[in-house]
Amino acid sequence: MDFTLTPTLDAHDTRILAELQADARLSMAELGRRVHLSQPAVTERVKKLEAAGVITGYRATVNLTRLGYGIRGIIRVGRADYDLVVKLVQETPECVNAYNVTGEDSWILEIAVIDVPHLDAVLAKFCILTETATSIILNPAREHQPMLPPQRADVKPPVRKALSA
Amino acid sequence: MDFTLTPTLDAHDTRILAELQADARLSMAELGRRVHLSQPAVTERVKKLEAAGVITGYRATVNLTRLGYGIRGIIRVGRADYDLVVKLVQETPECVNAYNVTGEDSWILEIAVIDVPHLDAVLAKFCILTETATSIILNPAREHQPMLPPQRADVKPPVRKALSA
DNA sequence: GATGAAAGGACTAAACC
DNA sequence: GGTTTAGTCCTTTCATC
């Protein structure tokens, strides 16, 4: 593994990433058993993956509903002052994710709130900025898909006519 | 802590959740030191939080850019056959999150792709279903905000005139 | 919940391949 | 790069208060 922007990850690294994304609390010894490497070997590889910035941390995942957040939603925020949105997001603990994006909307926020009055209160903070559109999450069909290095072979280019010269 | 839909979490549980969301690889001994509980006490609380479904797992987080995904995006998918979308998502490893939502769009997908041709290939799978709108993530200003039990006191109801009877 | 003792396991470092 | 060994430390489990 080198330290270029996208380090070269071999099959061992890929298996390590898969295992740690599935269970971040594995001991290095158990991880070694699973990927068929000795414990010192996996420990060194994990440290290199951390140092290379591929692994950025280890987080417990929580069930927001069980925590007391009855509603999860996506808020799309139109063109607005960048710093102002950043400031508002920082003041909003209900905001789980906040992405500055291209397109008609400038921001896409993911929030978790207790109930409708709480949703109302959070929305009020953002809708004074600009136009917003809110969607309530009915079913998070997929969350936190474990990601492995992309395989070029996976990509099937769509068949499509192009303007020829 | 009881086992109703939203278990009663005291200050110790809240601190435990904060610590494990910040670093899921903490040992129970170290966690106990940080939250000022003995190691057996903290171990039992963590097990109860897991059993109650509040803690759903422990995951390593990865830097998608370093992994080789040069582009992250949000795809909004209009009204489409539910099962068909689920099937497409399952066949799409580039899809990190997939939410079925209310509103004009039926689905909001978060994807990671290598480059523009790869984006083209993934979009082609969904745009044949119905209308889609794609936004490229320029800056993930906030990701995976650690979430603690909501505090009613946090909620400031917006001042707003209502129709009186 | 805390404490203390015992057993098991995990991490580190070194030598070697 | 990897493995193996040896030593130390830590963690966990159990029993007791």
Side-chain angles (χ1 to χ4, degrees):
Chain A
M1 187 173 69
D2 56 42
F3 286 82
T4 54
L5 188 61
T6 62
T8 306
L9 304 180
D10 64 14
H12 286 312
D13 293 317
T14 299
R15 288 213 54 186
I16 288 169
L17 287 174
E19 292 289 344
L20 286 179
Q21 284 179 87
D23 183 1
R25 286 186 67 80
L26 285 174
S27 70
M28 291 299 117
E30 175 60 24
L31 180 59
R33 283 178 217 116
R34 297 195 183 189
V35 305
H36 303 299
L37 281 174
S38 67
Q39 188 270 330
V42 284
T43 301
E44 189 172 342
R45 277 174 180 267
V46 170
K47 282 183 179 164
K48 283 186 178 177
L49 287 168
E50 292 170 351
V54 174
I55 294 175
T56 55
Y58 305 91
R59 302 177 37 75
T61 55
V62 298
N63 181 322
L64 293 173
T65 304
R66 291 287 166 84
L67 255 193
Y69 296 94
I71 302 175
R72 295 174 60 188
I74 307 286
I75 307 175
R76 296 187 282 123
V77 179
R79 196 163 292 279
D81 182 72
Y82 187 95
D83 293 337
L84 191 51
V85 175
V86 169
K87 182 167 172 290
L88 270 180
V89 166
Q90 287 172 343
E91 294 170 352
T92 307
E94 297 91 347
C95 182
V96 182
N97 295 308
Y99 301 139
N100 180 219
V101 297
T102 66
E104 278 187 43
D105 308 306
S106 292
W107 290 85
I108 295 179
L109 314 178
E110 183 179 333
I111 63 165
V113 292
I114 305 172
D115 51 20
V116 171
H118 192 186
L119 174 65
D120 189 20
V122 172
L123 280 177
K125 297 166 72 172
F126 290 95
C127 69
I128 59 168
L129 289 178
T130 177
E131 64 276 17
T132 64
T134 304
S135 301
I136 303 301
I137 296 177
L138 301 173
N139 176 32
R142 169 175 288 185
E143 284 194 278
H144 310 309
Q145 167 80 355
M147 297 299 284
L148 300 179
Q151 303 297 318
R152 268 283 167 195
D154 291 349
V155 186
K156 303 282 196 307
V159 179
R160 182 183 297 154
K161 287 175 183 158
L163 294 175
S164 27
Chain B
M1 189 173 66
D2 57 40
F3 287 82
T4 54
L5 187 62
T6 61
T8 306
L9 304 179
D10 65 12
H12 286 313
D13 293 316
T14 299
R15 289 214 54 185
I16 288 170
L17 287 174
E19 293 288 344
L20 286 179
Q21 284 179 87
D23 181 3
R25 286 187 66 81
L26 285 174
S27 70
M28 290 300 116
E30 176 60 24
L31 180 58
R33 286 188 279 273
R34 297 195 183 190
V35 305
H36 304 298
L37 282 173
S38 69
Q39 189 271 329
V42 83
T43 301
E44 189 173 341
R45 278 173 179 268
V46 170
K47 283 182 177 162
K48 283 186 179 175
L49 288 167
E50 292 170 352
V54 174
I55 294 175
T56 55
Y58 305 91
R59 302 178 36 75
T61 54
V62 299
N63 181 323
L64 293 172
T65 305
R66 292 286 165 84
L67 256 193
Y69 297 95
I71 301 175
R72 295 174 60 191
I74 308 286
I75 307 176
R76 295 187 284 123
V77 179
R79 196 163 292 278
D81 181 73
Y82 187 95
D83 292 338
L84 190 52
V85 175
V86 169
K87 181 167 173 290
L88 269 180
V89 166
Q90 286 172 343
E91 294 170 353
T92 308
E94 297 90 347
C95 182
V96 182
N97 295 307
Y99 300 139
N100 181 219
V101 298
T102 65
E104 279 186 43
D105 309 305
S106 292
W107 290 85
I108 295 179
L109 313 179
E110 183 179 333
I111 63 164
V113 292
I114 305 172
D115 51 20
V116 172
H118 192 185
L119 175 65
D120 189 22
V122 172
L123 280 177
K125 297 166 72 171
F126 290 95
C127 69
I128 61 169
L129 289 178
T130 179
E131 65 278 14
T132 65
T134 304
S135 301
I136 303 301
I137 296 177
L138 300 174
N139 177 32
R142 168 176 288 185
E143 284 193 278
H144 310 309
Q145 167 79 355
M147 297 299 283
L148 300 179
Q151 302 297 319
R152 269 282 167 197
D154 291 351
V155 186
K156 302 285 196 306
V159 178
R160 181 184 294 153
K161 287 175 181 157
L163 293 176
S164 29

